[in-house]
Amino acid sequence: MPESPLHQLERALSADDLPKVEALLAAHPGLLNAPRRCPVLLAARSVATAERLLSLGAQLEPVSQWWAGGMGTLRTDSSVGRLLVERGARLTVHAAAGLGLLEPLAQMLDATPALIDAKGMDSCTPLHFARTVETAQLLLSRGARIDARDEDHSSTPAQWLIGDAPEVARFLLAQGASPDIFLAAALGDRTLAESLLKADPGCVAQRIGRPPAFPPLGQGRGGTIYQWTLAFNSYPHQIALMKGHPALFDLLYERSGLSIRLIVSCLLGRRSEAEALAAAHPGLVASLAPEEHELVARYCWETNLNVEAVRLMLDVGFPLAHPERSHGYTPLHNAAWAGSADLVDLLLERGHPVDIEDPAYHATPLGYALHDCLVEKRHPEGDFVHVVAALLEAGSPWEALDYPLGDSAIDEVFRARLHTRVDGAALLGDEAAMLRLLQEEPGPDALAKALAGAAKGGHVELCRRLLELGAPVDAVAGRSQLTPLMYAASASAGPVVALLLQRGASVAVKNRNGSTVLHLAVANDPDLETVRLLLDAGAGIHVDSPNAFGHTPAKLAEKAGRQDLVELLRSFPGRDGK
């Protein structure tokens, strides 16, 4: 899918590609100070880029607000941060600690000693953001709690700093901070690792994202900070290799039991080791705890996308569709969400079911692919056209009445299949295909689907023909449980709306979200005549009626900036029985 200008700007800033940054801002000037999670200035990776952004009009107040709690400071280059302070960005104790501004930090603590425990973002203390040893020394000398834990991730300063400032984490350990096997692995500290293994041999089996010690997202609020400072769903063995400590990996592997050796070998793609262990111990995979079987799903999720690890786990016998417990997503849900064609193809090849719905949103993997591609857009690099086509080819449930979805390439995948559904053929206005399908599937349900499709497609004569054949005028169809009138009004198909109203269609029916036809018409940028038809038919009593989300037609019109529509709704004499 095409990458949005915002994502392009973020990548250009991350690469410190100043010409690209300037070109994007010239084409999209609104991005410079657009409301967003992190100000553009804080994404600058050099003083030159920051100065250029300031010269273009980047504002400093959002910087002061964003890094006030410390989080933004941790992700800002210190030289850039110092420049922004010089230009007028306001400091807090957390920002001063994060930027290593010792003099201002000392002055703040002199004036207000209690700031040593001040709660910043996630209720972190200033020590959580000490990115230099000198800063950590100053804070400890003023009474900072070396093992203070934040409230979102329940993690210590050393755990927060191991990724960006390992030398500070090492210093804190030397000063008495509580150690753990992941700190030892990341630092390559064999002596520390051996002492931890001697005290608790089981620590080698700990995993980032496995409760209770290092919980995942969704358990214990944000889950352990190691998910971001080290790596999601990883064992200490993986961290040791990732940080360039193969000798420590060997020690950890040697001290591991058969189960952990098998799992780690799978996750690292060490096929010969994994297959040898599985062959020598046939019941080993089945004996793993359910939370270890979750690893197939977790390595299909966006934080760990790893087709070879998943392939190897499946090859040695991990269950194919085992969901991860935090949210109930299956491997296919996760792979589809990321638009990962390789993973989706692998899972489908192995027979992963396509019709499983997750427990929270009651959506299939196809629904996850479509939501990310069309709404969230978290994976512009994803091959969603391939993923959607593969899921449909594998038999995924789908709704013809969802077409068009709003992306031309995705719509083309669905369009090629619309002629196979009675509602799809009617939506396209293909009367011959529709009648053939009605002969194969006679009855009121098929007629109702066909009328809904013809209404959404705006095919007034086809709607007339279906009504003559006995199609029920107010039958609901599709996942959203809409009437033909709702489909027609949503598409601003005025002639179809008029026909359906003439045939007795109700304006009072509500869909599964409590929305009436007037809600749906107003929400889809209608022409005034279509809305007037509905108001004249009695829909005016719903102008101020809230749906399940608290939205009224009047509020929806205001939110859309349709002043002409707002005035029409306000002027109608039937609103609320007035």
Side-chain angles (χ1 to χ4, degrees):
M1 297 296 105
E3 191 174 21
S4 70
L6 176 58
H7 283 125
Q8 293 180 54
L9 179 60
E10 288 172 343
R11 286 199 304 107
L13 286 165
S14 180
D16 201 29
D17 186 345
L18 186 52
K20 180 69 171 177
V21 169
E22 290 178 328
L24 284 165
L25 290 175
H28 307 280
L31 292 177
L32 183 62
N33 290 304
R36 57 198 299 269
R37 291 189 61 204
C38 180
V40 169
L41 272 171
L42 288 182
R45 293 293 177 265
S46 69
V47 169
T49 298
E51 287 180 329
R52 180 59 177 146
L53 293 172
L54 287 167
S55 72
L56 291 172
Q59 298 171 355
L60 285 166
E61 181 55 28
V63 170
S64 300
Q65 294 174 356
W66 175 252
W67 74 12
M71 183 77 77
T73 308
L74 188 62
R75 297 171 181 172
T76 304
D77 182 275
S78 60
S79 60
V80 172
R82 290 170 185 269
L83 170 71
L84 299 180
V85 170
E86 291 171 4
R87 297 296 180 88
R90 290 177 287 107
L91 274 178
T92 64
V93 66
H94 300 90
L99 296 171
L101 300 179
L102 299 182
E103 186 175 343
L105 178 60
Q107 291 172 351
M108 292 180 191
L109 295 172
D110 287 341
T112 311
L115 287 177
I116 197 67
D117 282 321
K119 291 184 177 182
M121 191 173 292
D122 293 346
S123 293
C124 287
T125 68
L127 186 58
H128 282 86
F129 300 100
R131 297 204 311 187
T132 68
V133 170
E134 293 77 15
T135 304
Q137 287 175 320
L138 171 62
L139 292 168
L140 289 175
S141 72
R142 299 302 182 93
R145 292 175 293 126
I146 200 167
D147 283 331
R149 292 183 178 269
D150 71 284
E151 293 181 4
D152 192 18
H153 307 283
S154 190
S155 300
T156 66
Q159 292 170 337
W160 270 77
L161 294 164
I162 188 61
D164 282 347
E167 68 284 355
V168 180
R170 190 186 299 276
F171 168 76
L172 292 175
L173 287 171
Q175 300 304 306
S178 295
D180 62 58
I181 196 64
F182 292 104
L183 289 171
L187 294 170
D189 192 329
R190 184 184 182 97
T191 301
L192 177 58
E194 288 180 332
S195 68
L196 291 169
L197 289 167
K198 182 177 180 180
D200 177 16
C203 71
V204 76
Q206 290 178 335
R207 170 162 55 87
I208 296 170
R210 181 175 179 177
F214 303 100
L217 284 167
Q219 294 186 27
R221 299 183 68 180
T224 175
I225 197 64
Y226 277 155
Q227 294 171 123
W228 289 271
T229 58
L230 291 177
F232 279 75
N233 303 303
S234 296
Y235 289 84
H237 316 62
Q238 295 166 270
I239 301 303
L241 281 187
M242 180 181 75
K243 295 295 186 180
H245 309 302
L248 186 53
F249 168 84
D250 291 340
L251 171 68
L252 296 171
Y253 193 82
E254 177 189 328
R255 300 289 184 89
S256 299
L258 291 176
S259 296
I260 298 303
R261 288 187 182 188
L262 173 65
I263 294 168
V264 168
S265 294
C266 286
L267 298 182
L268 291 172
R270 294 159 57 103
R271 180 167 289 274
S272 59
E273 290 90 339
E275 290 179 339
L277 284 165
H281 306 278
L284 186 56
V285 174
S287 71
L288 297 176
E291 54 264 39
E292 307 302 0
H293 286 160
E294 294 178 34
L295 285 166
V296 175
R298 293 192 180 279
Y299 275 70
C300 288
W301 182 239
E302 59 189 19
T303 56
N304 288 96
L305 290 173
N306 189 325
V307 66
E308 292 310 316
V310 172
R311 189 191 311 279
L312 185 47
M313 282 188 277
L314 296 178
D315 286 347
V316 299
F318 276 68
L320 175 64
H322 190 89
E324 50 91 354
R325 292 182 301 167
S326 297
H327 306 96
Y329 308 152
T330 68
L332 192 57
H333 279 90
N334 288 347
W337 169 265
S340 176
D342 289 344
L343 277 169
V344 167
D345 286 348
L346 171 63
L347 296 169
L348 293 177
E349 174 190 305
R350 301 300 177 93
H352 195 299
V354 295
D355 57 354
I356 298 175
E357 295 184 352
D358 77 287
Y361 303 104
H362 307 291
T364 64
L366 176 61
Y368 271 53
L370 293 174
H371 190 73
D372 194 4
C373 173
L374 304 170
V375 181
E376 292 293 333
K377 300 183 179 181
R378 284 175 53 163
H379 295 281
E381 77 289 352
D383 189 353
F384 288 99
V385 172
H386 181 104
V387 166
V388 168
L391 290 169
L392 291 174
E393 190 66 27
S396 174
W398 62 284
E399 290 276 353
L401 290 170
D402 286 345
Y403 176 90
L405 294 104
D407 179 279
S408 59
I410 296 293
D411 282 340
E412 194 56 38
V413 175
F414 280 91
R415 184 181 177 85
R417 293 167 170 78
L418 288 179
H419 293 279
T420 66
R421 303 285 181 91
V422 66
D423 44 0
L427 196 160
L428 293 175
D430 188 337
E431 184 172 356
M434 182 199 74
L435 292 174
R436 184 184 71 253
L437 291 164
L438 282 174
Q439 290 175 351
E440 298 172 2
E441 187 187 347
D445 287 346
L447 283 169
K449 289 180 181 179
L451 182 58
K456 182 171 182 176
H459 307 300
V460 64
E461 293 305 320
L462 194 55
C463 288
R464 197 184 311 277
R465 175 77 182 277
L466 287 164
L467 289 167
E468 291 169 355
L469 290 173
V473 73
D474 277 331
V476 295
R479 178 171 38 244
S480 298
Q481 296 292 282
L482 306 185
T483 65
L485 183 62
M486 290 174 172
Y487 280 113
S490 297
S492 285
V496 176
V497 169
L499 171 65
L500 295 172
L501 289 172
Q502 290 168 9
R503 298 300 181 91
S506 172
V507 295
V509 177
K510 295 181 179 181
N511 73 352
R512 67 178 186 177
N513 296 321
S515 294
T516 66
V517 64
L518 189 60
H519 283 90
L520 296 168
V522 170
N524 286 279
D525 196 24
D527 61 75
L528 290 181
E529 288 309 308
T530 297
V531 176
R532 200 182 305 277
L533 284 170
L534 296 172
L535 294 173
D536 289 340
I541 62 172
H542 301 300
V543 168
D544 295 311
S545 299
N547 61 13
F549 305 110
H551 301 146
T552 68
K555 288 180 180 178
L556 289 170
E558 291 174 2
K559 185 177 180 180
R562 285 289 304 271
Q563 190 58 36
D564 55 345
L565 193 53
V566 171
E567 292 174 1
L568 174 62
L569 295 175
R570 286 176 176 169
S571 67
F572 195 77
R575 61 184 303 197
D576 283 338
K578 295 176 183 176

